[in-house]
Amino acid sequence: LHELTRSKVTPMVQGLFPAAEREAVLRLVERSVIFVTGDNIEQLLMNRRWNHTAWMLANLHLGTLGADLLEPDAKRLVGLSEEAMCFVSPLYFSDPDPTSDFVVHEVAHILHNCKRRTAGLPETRRREWLLDIAFHKRETFAYACEFYAWVLEHSPNAAARRRLAVEICRKTALSYNRVEPQVVADIVLDAAQSRAGWKVILHRCGNSSRGRPSSRLGG
């Protein structure tokens, strides 16, 4: 499972961090992503800081088993996060939506939620967090990383990257309560047209970003 996590997020880590820091970040991510099974569910429930997280985690495991959830209206989950931890159901491997990747999405959040010292990296006054993502753009950043990772995985060349970027942004429904879908689409398209796509995403979502003209789906 650590190998799976590493293979999923390595392209993102390589694109967002300098070579000297990548291994430390990958080791942090491996510790942060936990697949929930019958072998570890009891310990996970007992060690949760928040009762609400334990309740959702129990439902996640019951859903994995195909059992009734704790309440009739409880949501069936493939994964959930608590601070810098990400809990994933084995149903992740059979997700019917091939363009959805909970692991990449949540690891993107871990990268802006964790301070550099958490990964054993030096901190300064101006470099405290692993990634300095603007607070109001954190969900946008996670969706952009999730979609762009899928585009890279399925694109043999630059032309295919742009075509798949348009396709995934048109087909995927995003909640307006969480992000502006057109903004996510613009960022993914800009990334797909660049040789440094991950840096484009970081620039567009970072605290120092001043914005720039963006590509539109119809362009």
Side-chain angles (χ1 to χ4, degrees), residues 3-152:
E3 291 177 2
L4 169 71
T5 301
R6 180 177 281 255
S7 68
K8 283 285 186 180
V9 304
T10 289
M12 178 168 60
V13 172
Q14 289 178 337
L16 295 173
F17 292 91
E21 298 181 353
R22 292 169 188 166
E23 187 58 33
V25 174
L26 285 170
R27 287 197 300 268
L28 169 67
V29 169
E30 286 177 346
R31 298 194 304 269
S32 299
V33 178
I34 299 175
F35 286 85
V36 181
T37 69
D39 293 331
N40 63 11
I41 182 62
E42 181 179 359
Q43 180 181 4
L44 292 176
L45 291 175
M46 296 298 292
N47 290 342
R48 298 286 54 80
R49 180 178 181 182
W50 309 109
N51 290 339
H52 182 62
T53 304
W55 185 85
M56 291 193 296
L57 194 58
N59 278 324
L60 181 148
H61 184 58
L62 291 171
T64 299
L65 301 176
D68 292 337
L69 305 188
L70 297 179
E71 288 186 357
D73 60 346
K75 185 178 180 181
R76 291 190 176 271
L77 303 172
V78 174
L80 65 100
S81 295
E82 179 188 60
E83 297 177 335
M85 301 300 295
C86 172
F87 304 101
V88 186
S89 163
L91 293 178
Y92 167 82
F93 299 105
S94 56
D95 192 330
D97 182 1
T99 64
S100 175
D101 198 315
F102 180 86
V103 169
V104 173
H105 185 103
E106 292 304 322
V107 166
H109 281 307
I110 289 172
L111 297 180
H112 66 65
N113 279 334
C114 287
K115 294 187 176 183
R116 290 175 57 82
R117 65 170 176 265
T118 310
L121 297 173
E123 290 182 11
T124 65
R125 284 179 56 191
R126 295 187 177 182
R127 295 191 70 197
E128 182 179 7
W129 303 92
L130 285 175
L131 294 179
D132 189 17
I133 302 299
F135 183 82
H136 67 287
K137 293 184 178 179
R138 289 182 172 185
E139 200 63 41
T140 296
F141 173 74
Y143 274 113
C145 288
E146 178 182 1
F147 292 172
Y148 184 60
W150 182 86
V151 168
L152 286 184

